[in-house]
Amino acid sequence: RSAVRAATRAIERAMTTQSATTTTARSATTTATTTLCVVTHEKLLNSRPLTERLRAETPRAFDVVVVSNEEEIDKMRRERADGDLAMLWWFATKEVTTAFASRRDVAERVKWMHSGSAGVDHLMAIPSVREHASTLTNGRGAFSASLGEWGVFACMHFAKRVDAMRAAQRRKEWIRMTVGLIEGKKLVIVGYGDIGQHVARRAKAMGMKVCAVRRTPEKTDPNDDYVENVVGFHALKETCAKADYVLVALPSTEETDKMINADVLSAMKDTAVLINVGRGSTVDEDALVDALRNKKIAGAALDVFAVEPLPSDHPFYTMENVLMSFHCADLTSDYHDLALDCFIKHAEQYATNAPFTNVVDKRLGY
């Protein structure tokens, strides 16, 4: 037994020495070559993804610096005046983001930008970002599961008459009323990207008949069996006219601005429901208020709005046929962890010169 213990200790010492040697060798070959500037909001500085995960999981090819104001940006410029830069936009204000991207000595060294969010309209609104020559990637796909669930939930909210049930409960009144099914109902998804596809997958599982409208129907996976058919924007009005539910999952671009307008709303059934999980600018809200007030459509479920926060005097707040969530349909407790998972994947691709998964087309805005 004594000999066995001695042998075990010898093996452990050898493994410890080998591990230390390997770690030293790896460190020597992964010297940071790019400064990663994380441009964030001061409220997020002490969040777990930044304090516990960012430096631990970011590839060693990066020297990580976190900034949340102009003074910190200028300090970074002084201390790291040379070498390549990458920017991680981590939910910073427009002012701080602009301050970073507009510094000429910074901009000319930036080789890559990544948006923690999937939508990039906030970045496309900054000329020094929009016109920059570097590749921009984003968090597309990180939050699609929650939005997919919310899309189906919105359909069920109206089908099952949840508002009426809750009102009766508050009145302590026992009522019996008919409810609807979403099985067999037609769902038209306008904007069939990652979010739209997550909605389709769940809707199909619930027995809904799913159709989609997108800018480029030919990009649809030929093996996608969640949708019955996919058409272009030219067929938007006639396709929505046949829907029981119209779910909008469009990005905010010049092309999609108020795409869901009075003409589209007037073509919809008076029993139909509009759902928006994309961007508020894609719906003509004045036309939607009119359609809801005059019962041209049955209801609307809105997670996003043209102006956020939505002004307190907006009609949506008091309309009984409107379900509102406050741009938080994807705000799960692990929201920032999911965003960081997506960034780390892209950082590894950058460090190894592998193709990026999510490349934003700045001309299109998504």
Side-chain angles (χ1 to χ4, degrees), residues 36 48-62 64 88 90 336-349 351:
L36 172 67
R48 192 186 77 86
L50 292 189
T51 59
E52 297 182 18
R53 294 189 56 198
L54 178 65
R55 286 181 173 85
E57 298 179 32
T58 297
R60 297 187 183 187
F62 294 94
V64 180
L88 166 58
W90 196 251
H336 290 106
D337 282 301
L338 294 172
L340 191 64
D341 289 342
C342 188
F343 163 72
I344 294 298
K345 177 177 71 174
H346 285 80
E348 291 170 346
Q349 291 168 344

Side-chain angles (χ1 to χ4, degrees), residues 51-348:
T51 59
E52 297 182 18
R53 294 189 56 198
L54 178 65
R55 286 181 173 85
E57 298 179 32
T58 297
R60 297 187 183 187
F62 294 94
D63 175 24
V64 180
V65 180
V66 179
V67 299
S68 61
N69 55 54
E70 292 192 41
E71 290 75 16
E72 292 170 349
I73 292 172
D74 289 336
K75 180 181 178 183
M76 182 276 298
R77 293 167 65 202
R78 292 191 302 270
E79 296 179 351
R80 294 167 175 80
D82 301 308
D84 294 342
L85 295 175
M87 182 191 82
L88 166 58
W89 181 84
W90 196 251
F91 311 98
T93 64
K94 181 178 180 180
E95 291 73 21
V96 174
T97 308
T98 302
F100 175 85
S102 62
R103 301 291 204 272
R104 179 175 296 182
D105 61 317
V106 170
E108 65 188 11
R109 295 160 53 204
V110 172
K111 305 302 180 185
W112 167 50
M113 298 183 184
H114 180 86
S115 168
S117 65
V120 295
D121 42 299
H122 54 285
L123 293 177
M124 294 300 94
I126 302 173
S128 53
V129 174
R130 183 181 65 249
E131 298 165 7
H132 200 276
S134 66
T135 298
L136 173 64
T137 56
N138 67 346
R140 186 178 74 241
F143 322 110
S144 298
S146 183
L147 290 167
E149 291 181 3
W150 201 89
V152 174
F153 152 76
C155 296
M156 295 186 70
H157 171 87
F158 283 94
K160 302 306 179 185
R161 304 180 67 181
V162 174
D163 277 352
M165 300 287 189
R166 294 288 291 168
Q169 183 179 346
R170 287 191 294 271
R171 296 192 305 267
K172 299 180 181 179
E173 177 184 355
W174 179 271
I175 62 171
R176 286 175 59 79
M177 63 178 67
T178 58
V179 296
L181 281 168
I182 65 171
E183 181 179 9
K185 295 297 188 293
K186 184 167 186 175
L187 170 66
V188 169
I189 299 175
V190 184
Y192 197 60
D194 199 76
I195 294 170
Q197 290 165 34
H198 272 73
V199 175
R201 190 175 307 154
R202 289 157 176 78
K204 177 69 178 295
M206 296 294 288
M208 301 186 80
K209 299 175 180 178
V210 184
C211 299
V213 181
R214 66 184 304 181
R215 184 177 185 274
T216 49
E218 62 274 13
K219 287 187 176 181
T220 307
D221 185 342
N223 297 316
D224 184 340
D225 59 358
Y226 303 113
V227 285
E228 295 184 352
N229 67 302
V230 182
V231 298
F233 285 161
H234 67 279
L236 173 64
K237 182 177 177 180
E238 62 190 73
T239 304
C240 289
K242 303 172 185 176
D244 298 297
Y245 300 90
V246 174
L247 182 137
V248 186
L250 290 166
S252 177
T253 68
E254 290 185 8
E255 182 181 24
T256 64
D257 186 58
K258 295 184 179 179
M259 181 172 282
I260 306 301
N261 55 26
D263 283 344
V264 174
L265 292 167
S266 64
M268 291 171 59
K269 301 176 183 177
D270 60 8
T271 55
V273 171
L274 179 76
I275 304 164
N276 193 3
V277 294
R279 283 291 186 265
S281 63
T282 64
V283 174
D284 183 335
E285 291 182 346
D286 290 338
L288 178 57
V289 168
D290 178 73
L292 292 164
R293 280 178 172 164
N294 294 294
K295 309 298 182 183
K296 296 177 183 177
I297 63 173
L302 308 172
D303 180 57
V304 290
F305 305 88
V307 176
E308 296 181 1
L310 186 70
S312 59
D313 60 351
H314 197 283
F316 285 151
Y317 282 111
T318 56
M319 303 185 84
E320 293 185 359
N321 53 352
V322 174
L323 169 66
M324 293 174 58
S325 62
F326 309 96
H327 207 147
C328 57
D330 60 350
L331 195 57
T332 56
S333 59
D334 60 350
Y335 178 91
H336 290 106
D337 282 301
L338 294 172
L340 191 64
D341 289 342
C342 188
F343 163 72
I344 294 298
K345 177 177 71 174
H346 285 80
E348 291 170 346

